[in-house]
Amino acid sequence: MRFCTLILGLFLVVAAVAAKPEKPAKSEKAAKADTTASVERDEFKISGVLEAGLDINNKVNKKETDYNRIGYGKIEISARPVKKVRAEFGFEYKDRDSAMTIDKLYAQYNFADFGGVRIGYMKKSFGLEERSGVEDRYFHKRSIVNDGMEEVAANLLKHDLTFQYRHKIGESWRLVGGISWAADSVYGSGVSWDPTRFHQNYYQNYSVEYEDSTKNLILAGIIGHYTHPAYDLTAWATSLSFKYKARIFVSETELTFGNKPIEYLDDERACFWGARVQEYFPLGTGLKTLRQVIPVAEVALYSKDMDSDFDDFDAQLRAGLTLGFAKNSAFQWRNTYGTVLRVIDGKKELRRRRFDSEAVVIF
């Protein structure tokens, strides 16, 4: 109900701003200027992605194999009633959760060519992998680094109500700073409190980004503040990522580092770290049906405890092949195989094998 009210209110504001009273007839020059302005205002876009397939997850350590359906859909709507005002709304459906959720809902006002503010429900600004949606990556699931961060970093990556300032320097640099608010609980071993109490949490989010036609460099950080009558807790994570686009290949590198806030409740100080390298080759075929063949490979390392002297970590190896059909590869068939190894004191243990195959439509 709360989201429905927000949606209704947002579109009422858009409609009110877009409405104009009748005016007397103008000269031909003025009418031409109004027509140009009208084209700038009437910007309404709908985009999205649909994904369906099969996920086979062989959990070796449990001696069982899971067969799961892949069902995912996302719709995004962008509207610009006037030149400096923009509103965006997006929702997604995940078959595993069997639920429709709000992905983003915000309004943006650009008070100048160099800066603007954004207010609403949105994703925090972080590294390349966290920013990319299904349409921008060739693996169905994100890496073990992203999964591990969501497990230990106390909801830092959740979508929350956010006030964000965005500043441009020239054509390539962008600075982003934001404050987010959420109501969550942080649970840890050996801690007792009244679960009916309301916990007010807030987050700080900052990023510096450089982007041109071939390079994209992002340095981002999130700081979470959690309050409770029994304790005050601070969680943080930072990411440095780089993407390079060449004619025949695209390379991504990302380093992630942060603390484990739950461990602080037991008077322990621990940090996690992760690294990820990905290469893919968008090869054109020159055909009218099969437009692209895209091999992709990725290596990711993740450790939830830096105190282990880097001798206890997980290693993920993934490789895949995507076939792109139709214009701009709007229809894709993606196939991926990957393994996760646990390395302890130099000894390797196979933890998981995974294969997924899915059809993706991007519009």
Side-chain angles (χ1 to χ4, degrees), residues 237-312:
T238 184
S239 173
L240 176 63
S241 50
F242 177 71
K243 184 175 184 178
Y244 180 74
K245 299 179 182 178
R247 292 189 59 183
I248 61 173
F249 72 91
V250 179
S251 177
E252 289 186 10
T253 303
E254 187 166 3
L255 302 175
T256 305
F257 180 71
N259 71 338
K260 295 174 62 179
I262 299 300
E263 304 296 335
Y264 279 63
L265 301 180
D266 298 323
D267 294 326
E268 296 181 8
R269 294 182 177 271
C271 295
F272 68 89
W273 64 271
R276 181 181 66 89
V277 177
Q278 182 186 112
E279 302 282 344
Y280 62 91
F281 305 84
L283 306 176
T285 64
L287 303 176
K288 293 184 178 180
T289 53
L290 177 60
R291 299 296 184 96
Q292 281 187 313
V293 176
I294 309 172
V296 56
E298 182 180 80
V299 177
L301 305 177
Y302 171 75
S303 175
K304 61 181 179 180
D305 190 356
M306 286 194 64
D307 294 337
S308 60
D309 297 326
F310 299 98
D311 58 359
D312 183 0

Side-chain angles (χ1 to χ4, degrees), residues 30 35 52 65 99 115 127 129 144 154 169 234 272 284 299 308 320 345 362:
T35 301
T65 300
E129 186 178 35
I144 57 174
I169 302 177
T234 300
F272 68 89
V299 177
S308 60
D345 296 329
I362 302 172

Side-chain angles (χ1 to χ4, degrees), residues 61-89:
N61 55 337
K62 293 184 179 181
K63 297 182 180 180
E64 63 181 16
T65 300
D66 294 337
Y67 299 89
N68 300 310
R69 297 174 302 179
I70 297 175
Y72 176 83
K74 182 175 70 173
I75 300 294
E76 295 183 349
I77 301 172
S78 175
R80 190 171 69 171
V82 294
K83 185 177 181 180
K84 295 185 177 182
V85 177
R86 183 163 61 92
E88 290 208 9
F89 167 60

Side-chain angles (χ1 to χ4, degrees), residues 53-59 64-70 96 140-141 336-338 352-358:
L54 178 65
D55 178 18
I56 303 175
N57 187 5
N58 183 6
K59 299 180 179 180
E64 63 181 16
T65 300
D66 294 337
Y67 299 89
N68 300 310
R69 297 174 302 179
I70 297 175
R96 176 168 293 185
H140 166 61
K141 289 186 64 64
T336 302
Y337 175 78
R352 188 176 70 219
R353 297 189 186 95
R354 191 171 207 143
F355 172 76
D356 57 72
S357 179
E358 64 269 1

Side-chain angles (χ1 to χ4, degrees), residues 156-169:
L156 288 180
L157 298 180
K158 288 186 64 177
H159 295 42
D160 293 303
L161 184 62
T162 301
F163 174 85
Q164 188 179 89
Y165 172 69
R166 305 170 69 85
H167 188 91
K168 290 183 63 178
I169 302 177

